[in-house]
Amino acid sequence: MADAGYLTIGKVVSKLQEQYPDLSVSKVRYLEDEGLLTPSRTPGGYRLYSARDIQRLETILYLQKSRFLPLSVIKDELDGKKGNTDSAPEEGTEVTSDPIDPTLSVSPEAERELHPIDRIPEVAGVPISLVRKLADCSIIKLVKSPAGRDLVRGSDLRLIRACNELARFGIEPKNLRQYLAAANREIPMFEQALASLSRHQGETPDERRLRREVALDRMLTLTGVVRGSIMRRELIDE
């Protein structure tokens, strides 16, 4: 058969969902629309994914979830690589690096969970006192468990680790309030930009949400470059 060894999109999703629970048919189709995947098609238009297509999809999911890279950067990296260098790590491989700083790396599992504040030294290598200060300054927001325990969002772990590193330079949580104020000033600008994204015909709510996430990631990367370049020019460059 011509399609021997190939999988349909539904079977690809079923194959990878154990490792990537958030994966859906809609997301795979979105990645295809963005030019990251180019599966074969049957005469009837059905998608057929080869082993190489599946490997590329695994790499995309790995880089997006474990390395926090936006899709535009992932596409550039994959299209620029040769041979088997674009393969995803073997199942069970621990993620120990981060595109910005290895000390800020957080596993996808830890990022999805709520962590008791008394376990933060073990989970993030950060003292509880710092987490309390960050919460007092509204840099992070603690969650109350049904039993009244303070819980830390896993999505805040990279932020907490970054603040811990800044403290070593003498930049304390109270000094970071200006970034909270700056973020609140920037939110309307980003909201307007996201609202301007036109809805694609036939797009599902999940696909639209994913497209907005990708757009926001890219805007945050670009505005970070602008901010960092201006500060470097004023502080370092002549």
Side-chain angles (χ1 to χ4, degrees):
M1 295 176 59
D3 60 351
Y6 286 72
L7 296 180
T8 63
I9 189 170
K11 290 183 178 180
V12 170
V13 171
S14 297
K15 176 182 175 69
L16 300 181
Q17 266 185 334
E18 182 176 353
Q19 189 173 359
Y20 299 98
D22 296 334
L23 186 62
S24 65
V25 170
S26 295
K27 180 169 183 176
V28 177
R29 286 175 176 168
Y30 177 79
L31 294 174
E32 182 182 339
D33 291 340
E34 292 297 305
L36 282 93
L37 296 171
T38 54
S40 302
R41 295 270 188 163
T42 67
Y46 292 101
R47 298 169 176 83
L48 291 177
Y49 285 80
S50 66
R52 184 172 182 82
D53 292 327
I54 296 171
Q55 181 188 49
R56 184 178 174 93
L57 174 57
E58 286 185 280
T59 302
I60 293 167
L61 297 172
Y62 166 72
L63 292 175
Q64 187 181 30
K65 294 295 185 182
S66 300
R67 302 293 181 87
F68 312 102
L69 296 182
L71 292 180
S72 57
V73 175
I74 292 173
K75 185 175 187 300
D76 290 342
E77 287 207 2
L78 292 183
D79 291 346
K81 290 182 178 180
K82 304 296 183 181
N84 294 324
T85 58
D86 61 350
S87 60
E90 295 182 2
E91 185 175 353
T93 300
E94 183 179 358
V95 178
T96 57
S97 61
D98 183 277
I100 300 174
D101 186 334
T103 64
L104 307 183
S105 179
V106 178
S107 72
E109 293 77 14
E111 189 180 31
R112 287 193 294 264
E113 295 177 0
L114 290 171
H115 305 275
I117 194 170
D118 56 4
R119 292 197 61 239
I120 289 302
E122 173 189 346
V123 173
V126 173
I128 296 174
S129 59
L130 176 69
V131 179
R132 292 286 186 193
K133 290 179 182 178
L134 291 172
D136 290 342
C137 295
S138 299
I139 305 300
I140 65 170
K141 294 181 180 180
L142 299 177
V143 177
K144 286 290 185 182
S145 73
R149 299 177 69 188
D150 285 330
L151 305 176
V152 177
R153 292 181 175 89
S155 56
D156 282 336
L157 291 179
R158 294 179 75 242
L159 170 60
I160 292 170
R161 283 179 168 170
C163 293
N164 187 53
E165 290 291 316
L166 287 170
R168 298 179 183 180
F169 292 95
I171 300 177
E172 299 292 336
K174 63 182 180 180
N175 304 125
L176 299 176
R177 286 174 175 160
Q178 60 183 305
Y179 290 98
L180 180 63
N184 288 332
R185 288 195 301 270
E186 290 183 47
I187 285 174
M189 176 181 68
F190 285 104
E191 284 180 334
Q192 184 176 4
L194 291 173
S196 68
L197 295 177
S198 60
R199 183 181 294 275
H200 292 179
Q201 186 175 5
E203 186 177 48
T204 67
D206 285 343
E207 288 171 333
R208 178 169 173 77
R209 182 177 182 275
L210 178 60
R211 188 158 60 86
R212 286 167 60 88
E213 286 182 358
V214 171
L216 178 59
D217 283 345
R218 187 57 176 164
M219 287 189 290
L220 290 174
T221 297
L222 295 173
T223 52
V225 170
V226 172
R227 185 183 304 109
S229 297
I230 292 172
M231 293 183 70
R232 180 177 182 82
R233 181 189 67 207
E234 298 298 324
L235 295 172
I236 301 295
D237 299 338
E238 297 182 355

